[in-house]
Amino acid sequence: MSALDWIVLFGTLITIAAYGVYKTYKVNDMDGYIRGSGDMNWWTIGLSIMATQASAITFLSTPGQAYEDGMRFIQFYFGLPLAMIILSVTFLPIYYKLKVYTAYEFLETRFDLKTRTLAAFLFLVQRGLAAGITIYAPAIILSTLLNWNLTFTNIFIGLIVIVYTVSGGTKAVAITQKQQMAVMMGGMLLAGILVIYMLPVKFTDALHVAGKMEKLNVVNFEFDWADRYNFWSGMTAALFLFLSYFGTDQSQVQRYLSGSSLTQSRMGLMMNGLLKVPMQFIILFIGVMVFVFYQFFQPPVVFNKQQTEQLENSALKEDYRFLQDEFTEVFQEKNKDIQDLLKAVEAEDEAGIAMAKDGIQKKSQYQETIRNEVKDLIVRNDAAAVTRDTDYIFMRFVMDYLPKGIIGLLFAVIFSAAMSSSASEFNSLGTTTTIDMYKRSIVKNASQYHYMVSSKWFTAIWGGFAILFAIYASLFENLIQAVNLLGSLFYGTILGIFLVGFYMKWVKGHAVFIAAFISQALILLIHWKNGDSLFGIPIDIGFLWYNAIGCFFVMGFAAVLQVFLGRK
């Protein structure tokens, strides 16, 4: 990167963090630190909710996913607006009526202390580990692209977040997230405009190429349990995930509990419901346009430049160069088919369109075969290499083709996304540990100032834990893979507890507590046997469905157990 890019990158990040500290360093009471004094307006809440969910992987992986798989991921968000309506009508009024700091306080009011503690514990486990991955996942990619030390990158991201989050609490998180969202969406929109401007064909022709190559596959109405991204999974399985995440995950609940009124918080949730789908559509569409761009300008065989540079300096360099030349030849042949496709589309020649599409498909498959052979060489050269390069596609395009200054801005986008998600996680972990564990069961009668200071310490401790987990994450490869599923593995159980509390008034604490344990054990068992069989029944379920299954397990078992236990 150029000197200008470094100035833009560090200037953006440091300015945002410093602004957050400056605006909130005078916060010195528990209510101000945890609830932001309850004076946030709806659009600040809405932006904070969106920024919390929009992790760095959203901006790294989503364009790459569209490049490889088209627009169908957008279906994952179809249930989000409905989830926001349900939460605004049901969950939110109860939280405001009880004036809670955390969602889990409601569970003690409705059931008992052990049920509250169980739900809080499940949240701390899955969100605590996920916080480490929120740092690690982008850091491993950014360190490669910037040629930084991975440990330094983890510490750099984590420490900046810890400084302003510990300083100002919830208000600092919300204030900085407004700036971060401006950087994130402004940078992505600029990148989208530039890639469209740089295309050598008209925008309508670009859409034809994307459509004929099946990248504009926005909606799929075919029902498939194993398919995570279709209309039905988005409107049902993902709906339960969103109800769990936005309704019971403290990292989100804390965002809208800071509202100045119930109406402001509702409007913030609805803003998220209305804008999140268009936001994801834009990011995916940018990925599709990058795909079209690379149909006219030759893409790298593998997008992780560091890995191909290592091949060029290895004993396998001649094999790599041969495959590179073969890839170039196939690309040139496919480019001719794409030109034929555009001519056939303009002439409305269906036979010509079909012939061109067939040629493009065959050559695309051949290109993928060559890519796989290069990846095999990478592994032969370095057995520990991870060859999946989807996350590198967008930023490789940025570094190779966008002008100076814009490159630094796009890196600031990725760092800002990592910081915004991490800040919410550290903040909520510190709050839950303080309110639901420390204050409720360990030190019960200290001053409000003591609990505010404790919350700062717990926030810093969780931030340190996340950094350490990120630094040593490569030693726990299987655990990292499991962490990606943590939300779906635990959210269903937590949501089930809350829904029993809201709608099954006759069920008591003992029943729901036992039901939650049984449900969680069964979900973990189903995940373990997924792709195999359980009790002779074949299991092949997309992990999004774990949320709905876990939720219904808790509700069903709780009802049966309450009948068995009577009035206990």
Side-chain angles (χ1 to χ4, degrees):
M1 295 203 305
S2 68
L4 177 60
D5 291 310
W6 289 113
I7 292 171
V8 170
L9 171 58
F10 285 109
T12 302
L13 301 182
I14 293 172
T15 299
I16 290 174
Y19 180 75
V21 172
Y22 170 72
K23 294 291 288 185
T24 60
Y25 74 95
K26 292 183 179 179
V27 173
N28 56 9
D29 65 276
M30 184 175 169
D31 187 70
Y33 189 78
I34 293 178
R35 293 183 63 247
S37 300
D39 60 3
M40 301 290 184
N41 55 37
W42 64 270
W43 63 275
T44 299
I45 295 169
L47 289 175
S48 184
I49 291 171
M50 292 174 68
T52 296
Q53 189 183 15
S55 69
I57 293 301
T58 299
F59 297 95
L60 284 169
S61 292
T62 305
Q65 183 166 347
Y67 183 99
E68 292 189 340
D69 199 33
M71 298 283 292
R72 72 190 192 101
F73 179 62
I74 192 65
Q75 297 167 105
F76 173 76
Y77 291 95
F78 281 180
L80 180 62
L82 179 58
M84 297 300 98
I85 294 172
I86 294 172
L87 292 175
S88 296
V89 173
T90 56
F91 288 46
L92 199 52
I94 295 174
Y95 291 156
Y96 262 84
K97 181 180 179 181
L98 295 175
K99 297 181 179 179
V100 297
Y101 284 117
T102 75
Y104 315 111
E105 290 181 81
F106 158 75
L107 297 178
E108 183 175 1
T109 303
R110 171 63 177 83
F111 296 118
D112 49 37
L113 176 59
K114 66 178 182 294
T115 304
R116 170 185 178 178
T117 304
L118 174 62
F121 175 76
L122 291 176
F123 164 74
L124 291 173
V125 169
Q126 64 93 6
R127 183 54 59 194
L129 293 174
I133 297 307
T134 302
I135 295 174
Y136 174 77
I140 195 170
I141 298 165
L142 291 168
S143 63
T144 300
L145 292 169
L146 295 172
N147 199 27
W148 284 5
N149 176 271
L150 177 57
T151 299
F152 168 78
T153 309
N154 286 317
I155 294 173
F156 176 75
I157 295 173
L159 281 183
I160 292 180
V161 176
I162 289 173
V163 167
Y164 69 79
T165 305
V166 170
S167 172
T170 296
K171 183 167 286 188
V173 173
I175 287 174
T176 53
Q177 284 177 330
K178 286 194 294 185
Q179 326 302 323
Q180 288 160 343
M181 276 301 296
V183 171
M184 287 187 278
M185 289 314 300
M188 291 302 292
L189 286 171
L190 182 57
I193 292 169
L194 288 172
V195 68
I196 293 171
Y197 174 78
M198 293 164 64
L199 290 172
V201 295
K202 295 184 295 185
F203 180 63
T204 52
D205 288 339
L207 292 177
H208 283 306
V209 171
K212 300 303 182 183
M213 297 184 73
E214 300 181 354
K215 299 299 180 182
L216 300 179
N217 49 343
V218 177
V219 183
N220 175 20
F221 288 104
E222 294 182 12
F223 183 83
D224 183 354
W225 282 100
D227 184 7
R228 286 177 287 175
Y229 309 128
N230 58 53
F231 177 83
W232 307 111
S233 65
M235 291 300 296
T236 52
L239 172 65
F240 281 88
L241 173 61
F242 292 133
L243 287 173
S244 303
Y245 177 53
F246 290 100
T248 70
D249 189 306
Q250 184 62 22
S251 67
Q252 282 291 1
V253 173
Q254 197 158 339
R255 308 282 70 79
Y256 54 76
L257 287 184
S258 61
S260 59
S261 66
L262 175 60
T263 299
Q264 292 293 312
S265 293
R266 278 176 166 162
M267 290 175 66
L269 278 174
M270 296 312 300
M271 173 184 173
N272 179 58
L274 291 172
L275 295 184
K276 183 63 177 180
V277 177
M279 171 184 159
Q280 290 297 135
F281 184 92
I282 290 169
I283 297 171
L284 285 164
F285 188 74
I286 290 170
V288 170
M289 289 298 100
V290 171
F291 170 82
V292 174
F293 178 87
Y294 277 126
Q295 304 312 301
F296 297 95
F297 298 92
Q298 184 174 335
V301 181
V302 173
F303 285 91
N304 187 334
K305 190 175 183 179
Q306 187 179 79
Q307 291 181 335
T308 53
E309 287 178 346
Q310 289 173 352
L311 268 185
E312 289 174 345
N313 295 308
S314 73
L316 300 170
K317 62 183 178 182
E318 293 301 327
D319 294 331
Y320 169 63
R321 288 171 183 171
F322 173 79
L323 291 171
Q324 173 73 59
D325 291 341
E326 194 172 7
F327 187 83
T328 300
E329 184 178 340
V330 176
F331 168 79
Q332 292 171 348
E333 292 175 359
K334 187 176 77 169
N335 188 256
K336 293 177 183 177
D337 289 331
I338 290 174
Q339 298 294 343
D340 291 339
L341 173 68
L342 291 175
K343 292 176 183 177
V345 167
E346 186 176 357
E348 299 182 359
D349 179 3
E350 293 299 326
I353 292 173
M355 185 179 297
K357 283 181 61 178
D358 183 62
I360 291 169
Q361 183 179 19
K362 288 178 178 177
K363 292 176 180 67
S364 295
Q365 291 172 348
Y366 190 25
Q367 279 186 310
E368 196 59 33
T369 299
I370 296 171
R371 271 172 47 81
N372 289 333
E373 290 179 11
V374 172
K375 289 179 180 181
D376 289 340
L377 290 181
I378 291 171
V379 173
R380 284 171 58 189
N381 185 54
D382 178 6
V386 177
T387 57
R388 185 178 183 273
D389 62 343
T390 305
D391 296 338
Y392 292 87
I393 292 173
F394 177 64
M395 291 308 293
R396 179 67 185 272
F397 162 76
V398 168
M399 295 186 76
D400 287 348
Y401 291 99
L402 293 193
K404 295 177 181 179
I406 305 300
I407 297 173
L409 177 61
L410 267 296
F411 271 100
V413 166
I414 308 304
F415 276 107
S416 293
M419 289 161 56
S420 66
S421 295
S422 299
S424 294
E425 290 171 334
F426 297 170
N427 182 223
S428 61
L429 287 164
T431 297
T432 301
T433 305
T434 302
I435 300 298
D436 297 297
M437 301 291 188
Y438 183 73
K439 181 183 178 185
R440 183 62 188 86
S441 301
I442 301 174
V443 179
K444 299 181 180 180
N445 298 308
S447 67
Q448 295 297 299
Y449 179 78
H450 173 84
Y451 292 125
M452 183 201 72
V453 174
S454 299
S455 185
K456 289 190 175 189
W457 275 107
F458 283 126
T459 299
I461 290 169
W462 277 111
F465 170 80
I467 293 173
L468 284 174
F469 185 86
I471 289 172
Y472 293 103
S474 59
L475 301 178
F476 302 98
E477 183 175 351
N478 292 333
L479 181 58
I480 293 170
Q481 294 171 3
V483 167
N484 290 327
L485 302 173
L486 274 176
S488 291
L489 287 173
F490 290 97
Y491 277 150
T493 299
I494 299 174
L495 177 62
I497 295 172
F498 275 85
L499 292 183
V500 170
F502 290 146
Y503 301 116
M504 300 170 67
K505 301 296 185 182
W506 50 280
V507 175
K508 308 300 181 185
H510 287 306
V512 74
F513 183 79
I514 297 170
F517 263 104
I518 296 172
S519 171
Q520 192 59 66
L522 286 174
I523 289 297
L524 293 174
L525 182 61
I526 288 171
H527 175 64
W528 179 48
K529 302 295 287 186
N530 203 1
D532 195 359
S533 63
L534 180 63
F535 306 126
I537 302 172
I539 304 293
D540 187 15
I541 303 173
F543 69 79
L544 278 180
W545 291 101
Y546 295 167
N547 300 279
I549 295 169
C551 177
F552 286 126
F553 275 172
V554 172
M555 297 175 73
F557 288 135
V560 172
L561 285 167
Q562 189 59 52
V563 172
F564 176 76
L565 293 171
R567 293 189 176 184
K568 293 182 181 179

